[in-house]
Amino acid sequence: MKKAILVFSVLGLLLSFNAYALDNSFVNIRSRIFEESKQIKALLTTSKDAILLSSMWDSCLMTMRELDAYFHMLGIFNTIKQRDLDEDAVIFLSRWLSEVKAGSELNIRILTESAYPTESQAAIHIARIKNHFGELNTKIDSELNKISLLREAIKRKKK
């Protein structure tokens, strides 16, 4: 009976991972960061805060690439058959998300501590980006909790 519940739990988690890459809040956050990067890019040539805006634009692009890589990793993860799934794949996903979160936290800290914009548009974009990165970190925490449950289920299954 316990094995059946465990198998169904793992199966449910795996099936939920299949839907993540297609429609989830990571995609929505990525889209908002992308839209913000387009607005920042438009200001680069006319703003007095071009260096700050350039740095923010780079941060947006890097975060989008990291999220794209996570989506691809989920695609690879989902090709692993349930009976072949091991803890290493789950650990890799969680480590990647932890690195994305660390990068977002660094961006928030840099924007909080050292950003002194001279124009109001730059200040508006700083606030928006900090909000987007904060939302991303909240989502990553939620995702890491789900992945840790999957990891525990795999450990129990192996025993």
Side-chain angles (χ1 to χ4, degrees):
M1 182 68 174
K2 288 183 181 178
K3 286 184 180 182
I5 292 172
L6 180 64
V7 169
F8 284 118
S9 297
V10 170
L11 183 61
L13 284 171
L14 287 176
L15 291 176
S16 68
F17 274 126
N18 286 335
Y20 279 2
L22 299 177
D23 182 33
N24 68 19
S25 54
F26 276 127
V27 174
N28 295 334
I29 292 169
R30 187 209 178 276
S31 296
R32 288 195 302 269
I33 291 172
F34 178 64
E35 289 303 317
E36 195 67 33
S37 73
K38 290 193 308 188
Q39 293 175 15
I40 290 169
K41 186 178 179 184
L43 294 174
L44 282 174
T45 58
T46 60
S47 177
K48 295 176 186 175
D49 295 318
I51 294 172
L52 174 63
L53 290 171
S54 176
S55 176
M56 290 169 33
W57 184 70
D58 289 342
S59 295
C60 289
L61 291 181
M62 182 59 78
T63 302
M64 290 185 317
R65 297 299 297 165
E66 290 171 339
L67 289 174
D68 290 344
Y70 179 67
F71 299 148
H72 292 291
M73 282 184 243
L74 278 179
I76 293 168
F77 183 82
N78 289 329
T79 64
I80 300 171
K81 294 184 175 155
Q82 184 178 356
R83 68 178 181 273
D84 297 331
L85 186 61
D86 64 359
E87 195 176 357
D88 291 338
V90 178
I91 290 170
F92 189 80
L93 282 176
S94 64
R95 285 184 180 165
W96 183 263
L97 283 177
S98 295
E99 289 298 319
V100 173
K101 182 179 177 187
S104 293
E105 288 173 346
L106 178 64
N107 286 327
I108 290 170
R109 192 173 72 239
I110 289 170
L111 288 172
T112 301
E113 294 174 356
S114 63
Y116 300 105
T118 57
E119 295 180 343
S120 62
Q121 283 292 64
I124 291 169
H125 290 291
I126 288 172
R128 286 182 190 164
I129 287 178
K130 286 170 46 177
N131 183 45
H132 296 323
F133 286 149
E135 286 180 45
L136 177 61
N137 289 344
T138 300
K139 176 59 182 161
I140 288 173
D141 286 337
S142 172
E143 193 76 4
L144 287 171
N145 288 334
K146 292 174 187 175
I147 290 173
S148 70
L149 292 174
L150 179 60
R151 185 176 177 190
E152 289 300 316
I154 291 171
K155 282 182 185 178
R156 289 185 191 142
K157 181 181 169 188
K158 296 281 182 178
K159 290 179 182 180

